[in-house]
Amino acid sequence: MPELAVKMGIKTDGVWAITMNGGQYLVKGSERKKIKEHISKKILSKDTAFFENMIKVADETYLLAKKSGEALQDLKPTAENFQKFLDAAKRINFLWLLGASHFHEAAEKELQDAVVTESFPAEKVMDIIPPIVSPLFERHKELVELKKEAGSKSLDEIKKDKKLYAKFQNQVEKYPWIEIFNFIGEPLTVERLYEQVTHIETHDAKHAKISISPELEWRADCMNKCGYVKQAGAEYFSIFSERALPFLANVAKELGLTYREFMMFSVTEVKQALKGEITHDELKSKISTRKNGYSYAFIALEGEKVVFTENPGDMAILKKMIPITDKDTRELKGAVGNPGKYLGPARVIMNTDDFHKMQTGDVLVTTMTTPDFVILMQKAGAIVTDIGGLLCHAAIISREINKPCVIGTRFATQVFKDGDTLEVDAEKGIVRIIK
């Protein structure tokens, strides 16, 4: 959505990203560099108007995503209406991509440069960044209060308490999207909410006020704004996903596919099938090969052009682009998302299909976390991710729930296996296999 980038004052002519069905996501390095340099210049020139406009455009896009998702619910599963879904999805997804892959890295670099220049204590950097006030931030505060009120009551006891149960039902109605991301997941239920409340800690997150220089304050504020685009973008994408689910489920039904089968097809194939240009049998014939990891990819190019490929030669080339580490590696270094130490069994969670594996006290190991991971994070003893910066979702939430967290290890999901006993040292950003 280049026109959205223009509204934000960003120079880019496309997304330039590759998404593979094995869970890998790659972004064109030169495009990332160009946008990072642009953001850095705005920070260094103290362009307050740029950042104020960035938030304004982001909020307008988030509000539009909510309304667009609601409008989809009553539409029939036609090719024309599917295009309406795509147009809405592209806007919110593009904005989240900008925040996640481009904005925050530039802001983090400029903040860290100032920290070094002023000899500011590195361990206090997170304390000078204003909290990102997003729907999930507000929900966490509400859950803490709900936990205090519910105490040790069982779900049956809560259901008998009409006033308390009404508060649980209100949460379910207010945040049905909390376990949905990328159009996968189920709306929140009272039973799932109760499980979340059971695992949440009722401590108050500390956001200490520290006296800092005007320069540090400015860069920390820029970090907050760039982090907001990323974090709120992910959350509103979940909100949009939840609202779009009924329409997408109807499209799958119209095509004679299960929902998971439907999600294996490109948007071009779906539109062709809705127009009758591809038969049901032709769709079904493609499913068996697409169930395997790294069997197909979506490549976003200039403008809004997206190419789908399942050519074995193309996939072989793309897989070579995935960073790998030595198979004998037993220790990884990352950044501290939230300090602390923990020893426990690893549980590698790549997507929602793996959620059932997570047990209370496991070390959550994943590529990155998104809003639907919150319940797993609450159950975890510690959190370890492949990617992420100071204001990634994992860092923000781990601080709110006070769990040791190491981010940006690059290879955690490659090195660590289910059941490995991990020592997570989130004071130094080190994670190692003990046995």
Side-chain angles (χ1 to χ4, degrees):
M1 303 294 291
E3 74 276 6
L4 184 58
V6 171
K7 286 182 67 177
M8 298 189 80
I10 302 295
K11 298 178 181 179
T12 181
D13 56 1
V15 175
W16 299 101
I18 300 171
T19 304
M20 287 177 268
N21 71 314
Q24 290 292 335
Y25 184 81
L26 306 171
V27 178
K28 187 177 180 182
S30 59
E31 191 67 14
R32 173 181 283 181
K33 180 181 178 182
K34 181 174 70 175
I35 295 176
K36 285 171 61 179
E37 289 176 346
H38 184 72
I39 297 295
S40 289
K41 288 179 181 178
K42 296 298 182 181
I43 294 173
L44 296 176
S45 64
K46 293 186 171 55
D47 192 338
T48 56
F50 170 81
F51 288 100
E52 289 172 358
N53 178 66
M54 182 176 76
I55 297 302
K56 177 176 177 289
V57 174
D59 283 337
E60 289 173 351
T61 304
Y62 300 152
L63 180 60
L64 182 59
K66 288 179 65 176
K67 292 181 177 179
S68 299
E70 291 167 358
L72 286 169
Q73 295 179 356
D74 298 324
L75 298 182
K76 295 181 178 180
T78 65
E80 180 182 0
N81 289 334
F82 187 69
Q83 185 60 52
K84 292 179 181 179
F85 155 74
L86 292 176
D87 292 341
K90 285 177 183 177
R91 282 191 295 269
I92 183 66
N93 195 40
F94 179 73
L95 190 54
W96 176 59
L97 169 65
L98 285 178
S101 298
H102 305 309
F103 290 2
H104 83 282
E105 289 190 5
E108 184 169 330
K109 176 186 178 299
E110 299 306 330
L111 177 59
Q112 295 287 18
D113 285 352
V115 165
V116 172
T117 299
E118 298 189 19
S119 299
F120 187 82
E123 67 275 12
K124 295 186 179 296
V125 170
M126 289 299 294
D127 292 327
I128 68 173
I129 303 172
I132 295 175
V133 181
S134 65
L136 204 57
F137 176 84
E138 297 295 344
R139 179 182 187 258
H140 177 75
K141 292 193 297 184
E142 293 171 16
L143 281 189
V144 169
E145 293 305 313
L146 197 59
K147 173 64 178 284
K148 290 178 180 177
E149 190 168 348
S152 59
K153 290 181 179 179
S154 68
L155 182 56
D156 286 338
E157 290 173 321
I158 290 172
K159 288 182 176 180
K160 293 175 182 177
D161 185 333
K162 292 184 178 180
K163 185 177 179 181
L164 180 56
Y165 187 56
K167 292 183 178 181
F168 270 73
Q169 289 178 311
N170 180 62
Q171 274 283 314
V172 169
E173 293 170 3
K174 189 175 180 180
Y175 301 101
W177 51 271
I178 203 68
E179 295 189 310
I180 297 172
F181 193 75
N182 207 21
F183 312 109
I184 297 292
E186 298 290 337
L188 184 64
T189 64
V190 170
E191 289 73 22
R192 290 292 289 165
L193 173 61
Y194 176 73
E195 184 178 359
Q196 293 178 19
V197 170
T198 299
H199 289 97
I200 201 168
E201 295 185 16
T202 56
H203 81 286
D204 294 319
K206 296 179 180 179
H207 300 289
K209 181 67 176 178
I210 300 174
S211 178
I212 54 177
S213 70
E215 184 63 34
L216 265 183
E217 184 175 11
W218 160 250
R219 297 196 188 193
D221 185 62
C222 290
M223 185 75 184
N224 167 271
K225 287 181 168 59
C226 289
Y228 174 78
V229 174
K230 175 183 179 180
Q231 177 62 24
E235 294 173 28
Y236 280 99
F237 189 57
S238 284
I239 293 171
F240 175 76
S241 292
E242 185 271 330
R243 283 160 172 71
L245 278 179
F247 171 73
L248 295 179
N250 285 335
V251 172
K253 184 178 180 180
E254 178 73 14
L255 300 180
L257 302 170
T258 67
Y259 189 77
R260 286 306 181 101
E261 289 173 341
F262 161 69
M263 293 297 287
M264 296 179 189
F265 293 94
S266 70
V267 295
T268 300
E269 290 170 324
V270 172
K271 287 192 289 186
Q272 288 175 333
L274 288 171
K275 292 177 181 178
E277 297 171 0
I278 297 179
T279 68
H280 175 263
D281 289 342
E282 287 174 319
L283 287 176
K284 281 287 190 179
S285 68
K286 300 174 182 289
I287 292 173
S288 60
T289 58
R290 295 186 182 179
K291 287 182 177 179
N292 301 320
Y294 304 117
S295 58
Y296 61 90
F298 297 94
I299 305 173
L301 302 173
E302 72 275 6
E304 296 184 24
K305 184 178 180 181
V306 178
V307 175
F308 173 84
T309 182
E310 55 185 337
N311 180 284
D314 292 342
M315 294 310 300
I317 294 173
L318 292 177
K319 281 190 280 188
K320 289 180 180 179
M321 298 169 66
I322 301 172
I324 58 175
T325 189
D326 190 286
K327 64 179 181 180
D328 296 323
T329 300
R330 295 179 63 83
E331 178 178 305
L332 293 175
K333 181 78 167 66
V336 175
N338 189 55
K341 294 183 178 181
Y342 187 76
L343 183 71
R347 202 63 59 197
V348 182
I349 308 293
M350 297 302 292
N351 52 50
T352 53
D353 291 335
D354 297 330
F355 278 17
H356 69 280
K357 299 191 303 180
M358 190 73 187
Q359 301 297 314
T360 301
D362 286 347
V363 176
L364 172 60
V365 179
T366 189
T367 305
M368 67 179 208
T369 65
T370 45
D372 52 330
F373 274 74
V374 171
I375 178 60
L376 305 189
M377 299 172 76
Q378 290 169 339
K379 294 171 69 174
I383 301 150
V384 179
T385 70
D386 287 340
I387 60 178
L390 285 179
L391 288 186
C392 69
H393 180 268
I396 292 170
I397 302 303
S398 65
R399 280 171 57 81
E400 294 300 328
I401 63 178
N402 197 30
K403 297 290 176 75
C405 177
V406 177
I407 54 178
T409 64
R410 297 191 67 199
F411 304 110
T413 55
Q414 289 184 36
V415 172
F416 306 135
K417 309 300 179 188
D418 285 349
D420 285 346
T421 300
L422 299 184
E423 180 183 69
V424 180
D425 184 345
E427 303 290 339
K428 299 179 180 178
I430 295 174
V431 185
R432 61 172 63 91
I433 300 173
I434 300 301
K435 62 179 180 178

